[in-house]
Amino acid sequence: MNSSEPSLTRAYSQEDVQQILNIALAQHPSTDTELSYAQLLEIADELRISPDTLKLAENKWLTQQGANEKFQEFEAYRRSKFQDKLGKYVITNSCLVALNFLTGFGVPWSLYVLISWGMGFGLDAWKFFYQRQGLAYDRAFQNWERKQKIHKSITGLIDKLV
C-alpha cells in the first residue's frame, strides 16, 4: 500500500482549504513575487470556480481594500488630532504652571486649569485609545468621510475654475 493513498482520500472544509493554502503561500520560497490575473484564473479553474464568481469575489475584495484604506486614513486623522490636542495641553499648562510658580502667589490657580482641562483631555484620550467601534465611532467616521468628500468637491471645483 502506497503512503500517499490515505492523503488522497482526505476531505477538507472550505475554511480548512483556505487556511492550508494561506500557510503554503506564506512558506512558498517566492513569496515576494505576485501572482498574475492569469495565474489567479488558473487556480480558480482548478478549484472549479467560475470566472464570473472569481470576478465578483475580486470586486468584493477591492471594495473591502478601499474601505480598509479609508479607515486607516481616518485613524491617522484621529491620531494627528489627538497629538495636536496633547501638544496644546502640555504647552499651555506648562506655561501656566511656570507663570504661577514665578509670580509666587500662595494659591496654585494653575492647577485648577490643569485639572479641569485634564478631565476633558482624559475623555478625548479614552475615545482615541479605546473607542474603535460602536455607534459613536461610526458617526465620527461618517462625519470625517463627509468632510473629505466636501473638501474633495470644493478642491475639484476650484481646480476647474483656475
Side-chain angles (χ1 to χ4, degrees):
M1 189 151 120
N2 194 342
S3 64
S4 65
E5 275 185 44
S7 64
L8 293 176
T9 60
R10 287 188 194 143
Y12 298 100
S13 71
Q14 197 170 14
E15 286 181 29
D16 293 341
V17 170
Q18 288 176 350
Q19 291 175 0
I20 292 168
L21 289 175
N22 282 338
I23 292 169
L25 282 172
Q27 294 177 349
H28 194 265
S30 62
T31 55
D32 55 336
T33 61
E34 295 179 349
L35 296 175
S36 68
Y37 187 73
Q39 290 171 318
L40 184 60
L41 281 172
E42 204 175 299
I43 293 169
D45 185 48
E46 288 180 16
L47 294 171
R48 295 185 190 111
I49 298 172
S50 72
D52 292 337
T53 304
L54 182 65
K55 189 65 177 170
L56 288 173
E58 181 185 26
N59 288 339
K60 185 176 179 179
W61 177 78
L62 287 170
T63 302
Q64 289 173 345
Q65 291 300 106
N68 287 342
E69 287 176 14
K70 282 185 179 182
F71 275 110
Q72 288 175 353
E73 287 177 33
F74 177 61
E75 284 299 316
Y77 168 78
R78 287 181 72 211
R79 184 173 34 261
S80 71
K81 292 301 261 183
F82 180 75
Q83 289 172 343
D84 184 46
K85 288 179 183 180
L86 176 64
K88 288 176 183 177
Y89 176 77
V90 168
I91 292 169
T92 304
N93 283 298
S94 297
C95 291
L96 290 175
V97 168
L99 181 65
N100 191 196
F101 179 73
L102 291 175
T103 57
F105 292 120
V107 178
W109 55 267
S110 62
L111 292 181
Y112 296 115
V113 176
L114 185 97
I115 291 170
S116 59
W117 192 355
M119 287 188 293
F121 184 71
L123 290 173
D124 286 341
W126 177 80
K127 285 180 187 176
F128 176 73
F129 288 110
Y130 297 107
Q131 193 177 40
R132 305 226 182 230
Q133 59 186 359
L135 185 62
Y137 182 85
D138 291 341
R139 201 173 317 133
F141 175 75
Q142 289 168 357
N143 288 339
W144 172 81
E145 194 172 32
R146 189 178 317 111
K147 287 177 186 176
Q148 293 297 312
K149 287 178 183 177
I150 291 170
H151 178 72
K152 212 179 259 188
S153 57
I154 290 173
T155 304
L157 181 64
I158 291 173
D159 287 345
K160 287 181 182 179
L161 293 175
V162 175

